[in-house]
Amino acid sequence: MAHKRKSDVAAEPSNPSNGTASAPSKRRRRSNDLATVPIPSRKNTSSAPVTHSKGEQTSLLRAGGALFPRGGASVLTPLEHKQIQIEANRDVLFEHEEAQKPRDGAKKPKKEKKRLPKRVKATDKGDPMQLDPVVYIEGLSYKRLVPGSLILGQISEINRYDIGISLPNNLTGYIPISSISAQLSGKLEALLAADNSDDEAEDEAPNDVDLNDYFALGQYLRARVVSTGNTSTNKDNEGKRHIEMSFAPNQVNEGLTVSGLVPSATVQVSVVSVEDHGIVVDVGLGDSTKGFISSTDSGDNVDLSTIREGSVLLCMFLGVDTSGKVLKLCSDAQRLGDIKKTSYLSDAPTIDPFLPGTAVEFAVTDVSTSGVVGKVMGLIDVVSDVFHSAVLLTPQADLQLKVGSKQKARITCVFPSTGTRKLGVSLLPHIISFKQVTDPAMRPPKEVLPISSTVEKAKVVYVEPRLGLFLDVGIKDIRAFVHISKVKDSKIESLSSTEGPYSPGSIHKARIIGYNPTDGSFIASLKPSVIEQQFLFLEDVPVGAIIKGKVEQIVINATGFAGILVNISNGISGLVPELHVSDVKLQFPENKFKTGASVKVRVLSKDLAKRQIRLTLKKSLINTDTAVLQSYDDAKVGLQTLGTIINLLPNGAVMQFYTNVRAFLPLSEMSEAFVQDTSEHFRKGQVLSVRVISIDRENERMLVSCRDPDSFGTDQLKALEDLKVGKMVSGKIIDKSTKDVIVELEDSLLKTIIRSGHMTDHGARKNMKAIKESNVGQVVKVLVLEKDIRKKLIVSTLKPSLIKAAEAGELITRFGDAEEGKMAHGFITNITTSGVFVQFGGNVTALLPRSRMLDSIAELPEFGFGRSQSISCQIQLVDQAREQITLTQKPIQTLSSQKTKKNTEPPTTELINPIDENLRTREDLVEGKETMAKIVSIKSTQLNVILADGVQGRVDVSEYFEDWKSISNHKQPLTTLKLQGTLPVKIVGMHDFRGHRFLPISNRTGPATIYELTAKTSQLSPNKTERLTLDTIELGSQYVAFVNNIANDFVWVNLSVDVRGRIEFIDLSNDVSLLRDVNKNFPVGSALKVFVTGVHPSKGQLDLSVRGSQSRNSVKFEDLQKGTILPGKIIKSSEHNVFVRLTDSLTGSISLTNLSDDYGTANPTTYMRNEVVRVCIAEIDVANKKLALSVRPSRVLSSTLAVVDREIKAITDLKFDDIVRGFVTQVTDKGLFIGLSPSITAYVKVSDLSDKFIKDWKADFQIDQLVKGRVAEVDESQNRVLMSLKQSHLDNGYWSPLTFNDLRAGQTYSGKVRKVADFGVFVVLDKSANVSGLCHRSEMPRRALADRPESYKEGDNVLVKVLKVDFQKRRVNLGMKEEYFDEEVAGNDMDQDQDMKQEPVAKEALLLDDEEDIMSLDGGVSISISAESDSGMEPETPLNGTNHSNGTELGLSTSGFDWDADIFGDLDKHSLSDKEDSTQQKPKKKRKKSEPQPDLTGELDAHGPQNSADFERLLLGQPDSSLLWVSYMALELQESEVSKARELAERAIRTIGIQEQGEKLNVWVALLNLENTYGTAESVEEVFKRACQYCDSQEMHERLISIFIQSGKLKQADALYQTALKKFSQHPSLWTNYAHYLFNSASPPSADRGRALLARAMQSLPSHTHLALTSKFAQLEFKSTTGDPERGRTLFEGLLSQWPKRWDLWNVLIDLEVRAGDVERVRRLFERVVSVNGLKPVKARWFFSRWQKWEEGRADQRGVEYVVDRARQFVAQVRANAAAAEAGAERAGAGAGS
């Protein structure tokens, strides 16, 4: 093919030696006829092709492109000359034959001219065959790409299984991992084989095939197009265009030969091996030719050890070794990019080496703003389009690109689908040099201008009319391209380059949507929709962002509802998992959210690798300002945030936050109260406010707590510190339980706990009796037994023995009170085998050994004692050193003082290796002694030193530094010291390292004491000064203090080792932002400059401040002014407001209207106690000395911030007709009071609340509810504002609903059936204010008379005509007869009604039907309190309930009496149908029942029974209707008359006839629901026992189980199940129901218990039920989330082995496997079932048909063909068997005949 191309292009210059004609061939003319736009000339901008003068000769060989080298010698071989000559002769003969044809009559010149191509002109009339082909500038595009195209690209992304490559002209291709190289594919196959044989290879595979080790971003490579396609399967959606490519050398080097290669040509290779001196590569030329890259040619910065086998490199050909089989190559990118010398190709024997990636030199033939045209070797056309010509990049470049000049460029592509070879080249500097584009500061473009960023002023620099715009985005030498499809939201056919809104020089706002490193340009869009779009890519969506989206799809899986897909931006959708759909568990979430509905979501996490995003719909997570915890680095101890429970464990719960951050919530941290079972108080998906208490970032572990970190204020803390153990205090009981009593102490409001064992001195029974007799609110006197300031815990007692001892002064409250021989009164805390432990006051504990007990009790179990039992003993021994007390019940014998007392003085010992050689013994270490010490460790608050071996000491940080200047690092002062260094010190006392307190030197004998030292030079000789004490500190003085401890609301600091003070958080800094993380900004050990603001020597209290010497408490009320911004500390937050303390005497409140600039986000509960905030004084009430504060951002941050709800400071700010929002402050009988600001309240009359009549309007409004209204009146003189909440006043387009007064006789309306009765139906009119009327049965259509009113059901759409309107009695009579309306309308309605009733239902026999078998336990009564239905919608049928014997289903929901109006219609129909059946059997009763009942229609209005009188009248006519009785009960419950509801139930049971068992059952179930909701466990048990006597016992058990499950009482349900199984073990449905409960509903679900039921059921049930029972248990394993499908398969296999011809079993198993989604298992099942012996053709046809449909559903054509072939084999086998049987019968008949 190469020689043919040479003959084509070389035909014009004649060669005398060849004897060829000068006329070009016909093929050449056809190849030059290109249907593209010609380039305009630089001097002539028209699109006409270039013409030449008459005498000018045009040649394909341009200047500088001579085919022959100097000297005339040919570069062709003799064989090539011969082939060219043959080809030329053939062309001449062809032209000669063509020339002979027109001689007979036609004019030769005209015909020759007509055959010329349209875009080719004859340059000479005398020689029309000399043609000048026009070369057109074109760029790559997706439509022009065909398989086989070669393109140069740059690697832009490296993924797990493919590589993304950036191509010219904004194209992107993808190379799968299998199309990179043969070596890498072989490695993958080896790993796959090893994975199949050895599981350990699974861990090695990812490390061996990490594409990041094989390639680098920005690497230039040549790629070959394999295929192009569309990723979208939707015909209506174009989707993303996908270009699949290959790096394989044998594909990208196609056409190259060793003989055709010349130096500087590029070859793409794959690494075969790495040797010591270089790299052996595969060049992909087909034969055994290899390539070698020496270490010197691989690049200076390349480490050969990092080169992996199978990686691909683009190399330059250097030459061939002496054998001719090894190519010498160079892969140094620097040498390849340096084309100034020889690294370019200007000549070659063939055109094959001119491939993408090769640098060439070409002669310029034409230049324009659209690009450059030239020729290589005078033969090959090259073009460079506007993207790669560099004309736009550097305008001065066009001065160098003159026609005839030579330029160097790099080939980027070979244009496909062209007759002649044409190359695309790039003149861009970064492609020529193989480098990356950077800005002048050497920064990557995407770093300077990130993707998705907006350019406010982008200037148009060039317009390509049919392509797009080029913009200047403010970065030198880097442009942005806007495709014509991205200029406007509407379609644009063409752009003008001279005028219009997009002409050069115009300024536009643009958004960056991508970057192409190969083109070196950004991709931008001018579409307003794109610019305004919040997120363009998944990377733009921040975790924690609150976004408005639309419901895209409800996700339903095999287990039911799985979540919601929400579209948050164009092309970006996220999943809301089931746990995050709502804060409360929804029974039918799929009914709440409709497709297309707008929702507000928050981003929980995103996975960029999987392109997934997880969202939440929980309001608690959306409407909060708590910290977004995205990583463990963001977490810090003390951080308060919200988390979601994702798993409940016996010892706690697993919490999840944002991204993948998880934490563990221990059981002990779940609540201040004792929690025994986590499932009783918490549930999965529940959102909790937790506090981080510990974090391990290295192991990604975190612990959180729900407990209140600080429930104490400053006053309470002070009161707790002042409270003395052993003191009698008075308090009031505020709460009690069976375990303890909570008492609130008077004055201090501290809470103390009295455990049940401390109510009396007696046993558990007396204590429980005392708890029951105590009442909440009762005032009691208690004895403080112990207190824990750190835990804020106070324990008290009511034991008379302890109170008596305390009053007599004999109660031990500290260890020093214990004296030997003294009588001690306490209580038992623990009992061991060796003795009992007795506790006194102050948590002092003593031991009563077994040997010192009375002989009468020493051998009793647990010595006859009980925990918390009161006891009095004598103190036998007190060990002062160990602080141990020993008690005795026996008389104390006289012991020597040597035995009873232990010498506590330390023995005289000699010091070993003292640091100071002057020290000898411990007696030398006295207070004031100056010596030397060695530093052994450095902590944040102290230096740990030693004075000698075994003699330890410490130097507190406050005892080392003299002043502020001597501290170089204020956050970590001691880090400048070095270990093992020595320093002079002075002994000042002892330190108790257990109690963390300073002790005098006399206490040095304690087991937990070390020497307290000072290293201050001012304390050492000769500069010895007095030590700092609390008495010497003056108010306003300044000191250097060091943080010692951080409490909940203040910081403890040390001025010296024995002087300690505290700083409140609010006084730590003037910058409130630093106080958000005190632990980080003021760590323990850090130094502070403090001022003394308060000294209380008597209390030992020192108050300090960093803000200044002036105490904030000095600020007086009179000094405050409006608008002043001050820091404050939150002391309390409620649902109504937030209280902030400014000083100890000044407190203000923040109302709801001052919490936020948007009232919709105002939430006081988000403010935490002790949090420091910036507040602005909004209002000052001087008379009452009250402050109204504000935390509006527009107040405390910047007044320029956006404000949704403006601040109303005075009544003059309100004008008539203003629409404002406010919060309900009071609900009265006459209307509402709306708070618009702390001082302005508006009043709304009842008549202005709604356009509709609301009977119970108070139920629609609550305190603090946000409402919107229009100002109706403003009276400034009386300071009064009136508002209206009517929708008609807010919305100008509001349509007023139809009212009763609008009705007139003769009018026609559409409506819905509200209620069905014997005498007719009640219809509510559409678009009305709930106006309804009665259509008597006599006014119904004739077709309804046959079935009476039961032909209608509630919710049916009907057409009615108003017959009569009684305005006095407010009654409406309606009619529905056909003659009232047009026949067409009536006919259509009738057809619709008939169509709605025909819905066939089919079920499988052995399928585990959830509705029929498992969830048939819904024993709740669902009744509607109001008989009206405002919505008119047809009530929904519960999915978890089925009908029982009489088809009725009544029950209470879990949240109380959640009545459902659908029950009315159902019960009416069933009760009436039952009566009809009985009427048909007894005609006498039928005649009696058909008598008219005028009193029902005369007394009842259109709204049904509304009071007890109405129900009593109805019950006179229908005493057996359970519907009326239960509705009557509902009415009483609505009035909170629970006792009356019980009486009605009892009355109904007595009244309903004995034959109406179904009606009685409904009443019993309703009564059970009532007791379960409002009664006690005893009342439920009593009613249940009675119900079992009157009704079917098994059914009552099932109904009560369902009630327990629905109300969350799972333990009671489990116990009742076990009881029912003992009584009704012969009923299979009960066993399967219990198994379903254990698998799915139990807490937690227990599949093991469910599986154990099968064996018990098999023993209890008869054998004929075993098949169906086992099948249903096996199905549970598949369908339950806790089940094991493998167990289910095992059970089915056992059944099929025993009953192989039970085709229903095969069907069930196939259904389950199809749902599981294992394709191979399903195929094997089908194969097995059609291979069963004895399969009848009818059944086989069914199975084959189902198999075929399943394969077709998978769109697997091979599978379908296999099924058809398999069916044919089966038919052939059946026919063969039939023929054989027939032949055998004939032979048998013949034998019998003979």
Side-chain angles (χ1 to χ4, degrees), residues 1371-1441:
R1371 293 179 180 173
V1372 182
N1373 293 341
L1374 306 174
M1376 292 192 296
K1377 288 184 177 180
E1378 289 91 339
E1379 53 264 27
Y1380 292 154
F1381 316 103
D1382 295 336
E1383 293 182 359
E1384 181 181 357
V1385 177
N1388 290 340
D1389 291 344
M1390 181 170 58
D1391 294 339
Q1392 292 176 4
D1393 292 341
Q1394 291 175 353
D1395 294 339
M1396 292 172 64
K1397 296 178 182 178
Q1398 298 176 358
E1399 296 180 1
V1401 179
K1403 293 181 182 279
E1404 293 289 341
L1406 276 176
L1407 283 176
L1408 185 60
D1409 191 33
D1410 293 341
E1411 294 185 2
E1412 183 178 357
D1413 297 326
I1414 298 304
M1415 301 305 291
S1416 60
L1417 305 176
D1418 188 5
V1421 179
S1422 296
I1423 308 171
S1424 177
I1425 294 177
S1426 174
E1428 299 182 11
S1429 175
D1430 293 338
S1431 63
M1433 297 295 291
E1434 187 172 354
E1436 300 173 358
T1437 305
L1439 294 177
N1440 64 340

Side-chain angles (χ1 to χ4, degrees), residues 540-560:
D540 301 337
V541 183
V543 175
I546 300 175
I547 309 170
K548 290 184 179 180
K550 287 189 176 181
V551 176
E552 189 175 85
Q553 182 184 351
I554 305 298
V555 182
I556 305 294
N557 58 14
T559 59

Side-chain angles (χ1 to χ4, degrees), residues 34-39 47 119 135-137:
L34 302 177
T36 56
V37 181
I39 63 170
S47 60
R119 292 180 175 86
V135 180
Y136 300 96
I137 295 178

Side-chain angles (χ1 to χ4, degrees), residues 182-193:
Q183 291 75 20
L184 188 58
S185 299
K187 183 177 293 187
L188 291 173
E189 293 174 359
L191 289 173
L192 183 62

Side-chain angles (χ1 to χ4, degrees), residues 312-372:
V312 179
L313 304 172
L314 185 62
C315 303
M316 182 173 63
F317 176 71
L318 301 178
V320 186
D321 72 340
T322 55
S323 65
K325 295 295 183 180
V326 178
L327 307 182
K328 298 179 181 180
L329 304 172
C330 173
S331 63
D332 187 356
Q334 186 174 358
R335 288 179 59 184
L336 264 71
D338 185 8
I339 61 173
K340 294 182 179 180
K341 297 181 179 180
T342 59
S343 298
Y344 63 91
L345 196 62
S346 61
D347 200 359
T350 67
I351 62 176
D352 293 329
F354 293 92
L355 295 177
T358 302
V360 297
E361 184 182 53
F362 70 94
V364 179
T365 61
D366 205 344
V367 181
S368 71
T369 55
S370 297
V372 181

